[in-house]
């Protein structure tokens, strides 16, 4: 059987096995209780298993929006299971209500459907508890984006963003104790629902992940926040960046961050050296950037209407090239399609690497791109 063929009986080990690898079976240290009453993680309920397939997904040109724009080159959506998405959303809302996230805006949060996004994007898991981990983490990242970075009417202010993000990282990756100063830090974290959400979400990630995977998520989250600080400066100074500078920042603030969860949700581990390999790293960033351009395409009207408009590739192209929003949109679509085709080429080159976890992760990135496009076209968040 060739490396690219698939067998239904394939079962990938969650971790390496053999002499000297027993320590790798440890999950993240001190992950906390397996569940808390009302937090959405419900033991004893029937869950699903994993779908193992290494064959790359097919690509096609897909219509989006009102259908009048050029199509987006993207993989086929792997799985649409509305019942599973509803179940993950039910659990997600229970968690958000318990921690006080989006208080007074719960109906809007429920309609957004981050559980549906997890169902669409993480197609190799049918387990609602595993999918909930992805939904929680994405909901928490998005909450930080809304309340700290983007939405002026929710209290986002450019000058407050950097110090808020410093607390975010202390909530997700607690620093060593510093006496009474740590008590004050804990009080500040517990008083902010966004910080509580991020801490809770990473705690649930830790139940399913190795220490290396958890630190991967924390490290890449921190990397993303560097770009957020650049956006804050541009908003505060009211000096939109040139498109090249925006893309340089955006490629480190993309759904690449969300894609760090692919193997965690899927119940396996991509070895750290392979995750950091430049060929794989480039391919995954291309997938993440393509998906975040989909976000820019769907959110352009929302962002343009803000009191302090956020950076958006369509708005920036239109201003820089002095062209219409429609023409700028067409250029952004072309940029998206180039990123996807470059990912496709990189995936073909990486097919020679004899690692099933690598092939599975790359297929997972394809599923993420496809599910992301599907979700943006259906969520209430970007409907005018």
């Amino acid at each position: 059987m060739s490396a690219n063929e698939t067998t239904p009986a394939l079962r990938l080990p969650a971790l390496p096995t053999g002499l000297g690898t027993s320590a790798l079976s440890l999950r993240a240290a001190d992950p906390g209780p397996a569940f808390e009453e009302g937090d959405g993680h419900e033991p004893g309920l029937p869950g699903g298993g994993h779908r193992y397939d290494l064959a790359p997904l097919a690509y096609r040109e897909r219509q989006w929006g009102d259908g009048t724009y050029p199509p987006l080159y993207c993989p086929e959506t792997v799985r649409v299971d509305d019942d599973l998405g509803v179940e993950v959303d039910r659990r997600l809302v229970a968690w958000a209500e318990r921690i006080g996230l989006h208080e007074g805006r719960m109906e809007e949060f429920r309609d957004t459907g981050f559980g549906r996004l997890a169902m669409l994007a993480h197609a190799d898991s049918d387990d609602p508890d595993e999918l909930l981990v992805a939904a929680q983490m994405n909901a928490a990242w998005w909450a930080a984006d809304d309340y700290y970075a983007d939405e002026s009417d929710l209290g986002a202010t450019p000058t407050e963003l950097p110090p808020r993000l410093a607390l975010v990282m202390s909530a997700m990756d607690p620093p060593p104790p510093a006496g009474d100063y740590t008590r004050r830090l804990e009080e500040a974290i517990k008083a902010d629902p966004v910080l509580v959400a991020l801490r809770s979400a990473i705690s649930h990630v830790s139940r399913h992940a190795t220490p290396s995977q958890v630190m991967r998520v924390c490290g890449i989250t921190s990397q993303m926040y560097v770009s957020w600080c650049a956006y804050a400066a541009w908003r505060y100074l009211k000096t939109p960046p040139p498109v090249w500078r925006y893309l340089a920042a955006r490629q480190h603030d993309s759904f690449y961050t969300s894609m760090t969860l692919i193997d965690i949700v899927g119940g396996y581990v991509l070895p750290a050296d392979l995750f950091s390999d430049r060929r794989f790293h480039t391919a995954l960033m291309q997938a993440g950037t393509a998906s975040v351009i989909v976000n820019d395409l769907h959110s352009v009207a929302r962002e343009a209407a803000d009191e302090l408009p956020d950076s958006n590739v369509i708005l920036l192209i239109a201003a820089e090239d002095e062209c219409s929003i429609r023409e700028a949109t067409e250029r952004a679509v072309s940029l998206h399609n180039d990123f996807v085709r470059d990912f496709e080429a990189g995936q073909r080159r990486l097919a020679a690497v004899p690692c099933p976890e690598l092939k599975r992760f790359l297929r997972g990135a394809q599923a993420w791109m496809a599910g992301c496009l599907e979700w943006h076209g259906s969520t209430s968040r970007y409907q005018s």
Side-chain angles (χ1 to χ4, degrees), residues 46-47 62-63 79 104 134 156-157 191 194 201 215 227 239 271 274 288 299 311 324 330 346 360 363:
R62 298 178 56 172
Q63 298 298 317
R79 187 261 311 277
T157 58
V194 173
M215 292 311 297
S227 293
T239 54
L274 276 177
S299 64
S311 296
S324 67
E330 292 173 354
R360 187 174 172 195
R363 179 185 167 94

Side-chain angles (χ1 to χ4, degrees), residues 95 188 238 267 290:
W95 168 76
K238 298 182 179 179

Side-chain angles (χ1 to χ4, degrees), residues 24-335:
L24 294 177
S25 65
L26 297 174
R27 292 304 181 187
D30 191 23
F35 71 98
E36 296 178 53
E37 188 67 32
D39 78 344
H41 292 272
E42 303 172 12
L45 294 182
H50 297 119
R51 302 162 179 256
Y52 296 93
D53 196 340
L54 307 183
L57 300 173
Y59 292 85
R60 68 178 175 88
E61 292 189 336
R62 298 178 56 172
Q63 298 298 317
W64 65 280
D66 62 6
T68 65
Y69 294 99
L72 292 164
Y73 187 68
C74 192
E76 296 275 9
T77 300
V78 180
R79 187 261 311 277
V80 179
D81 184 336
D82 289 328
D83 290 339
L84 180 58
V86 167
E87 174 62 17
V88 179
D89 272 316
R90 181 186 69 79
R91 299 183 184 204
L92 181 67
V93 169
W95 168 76
E97 288 178 333
R98 183 180 66 79
I99 65 176
L101 185 64
H102 297 302
E103 185 175 354
R105 303 175 64 242
M106 191 53 62
E107 183 175 349
E108 180 180 346
F109 174 69
R110 181 183 293 108
D111 291 344
T112 298
F114 288 113
R116 177 177 170 80
L117 173 61
M119 174 275 294
L120 291 166
H122 294 277
D124 58 354
S125 176
D126 293 320
D127 187 329
D129 189 64
E130 289 177 339
L131 293 172
L132 179 58
V133 167
Q136 287 171 320
M137 200 71 249
N138 279 283
W141 280 321
W142 243 291
D145 195 31
D146 286 347
Y147 288 93
Y148 293 171
D150 281 356
E151 306 295 335
S152 300
D153 60 342
L154 297 180
T157 58
T159 53
E160 287 297 314
L161 179 63
R164 281 173 159 175
L165 294 182
L167 282 188
V168 163
M169 292 319 302
S170 289
M172 292 181 64
D173 182 17
D180 190 56
Y181 299 113
T182 297
R183 177 187 61 80
R184 297 180 190 181
L185 169 63
E186 288 301 308
E187 290 174 351
I189 290 172
K190 292 175 182 177
D192 186 333
V194 173
L195 298 180
V196 173
L198 285 158
R199 170 170 286 184
S200 175
I202 198 68
S203 175
H204 286 299
V205 167
S206 299
R207 295 192 298 108
H208 294 269
T210 65
S212 176
Q213 287 174 307
V214 173
M215 292 311 297
R216 176 214 294 170
V217 174
C218 289
I220 292 174
T221 297
S222 181
Q223 169 182 301
M224 175 176 71
Y225 289 156
V226 173
S227 293
W228 287 20
C229 290
Y231 305 152
W234 294 329
R235 294 183 83 189
Y236 177 73
L237 297 172
K238 298 182 179 179
T239 54
V243 175
W244 72 264
R245 186 176 288 275
Y246 170 73
L247 284 175
R250 194 60 158 150
Q251 290 184 78
H252 289 88
D253 163 37
S254 74
F255 287 119
Y256 170 75
T257 307
S258 297
M259 291 176 183
T260 61
L261 303 173
I262 286 173
D263 57 344
I264 298 172
V265 176
Y268 64 101
V269 178
L270 178 65
D273 282 350
L274 276 177
F275 187 90
S276 300
D277 183 280
R278 173 54 59 180
R279 296 165 297 172
F280 174 81
H281 175 69
T282 296
L284 196 63
M285 288 194 76
Q286 288 164 338
T289 304
S291 292
V292 90
I293 290 175
V294 169
N295 182 266
D296 276 9
L297 289 167
H298 283 85
S299 64
V300 60
R302 175 191 179 105
E303 290 172 348
D306 195 281
E307 179 184 346
L308 285 174
D310 192 26
S311 296
N312 178 293
V313 72
I314 293 92
L315 298 176
L316 293 174
I317 290 173
E320 184 172 301
D321 294 348
E322 298 182 344
C323 64
S324 67
I325 291 295
R326 180 172 188 88
E327 186 174 353
T329 299
E330 292 173 354
R331 295 181 189 183
V333 168
S334 179
L335 187 63

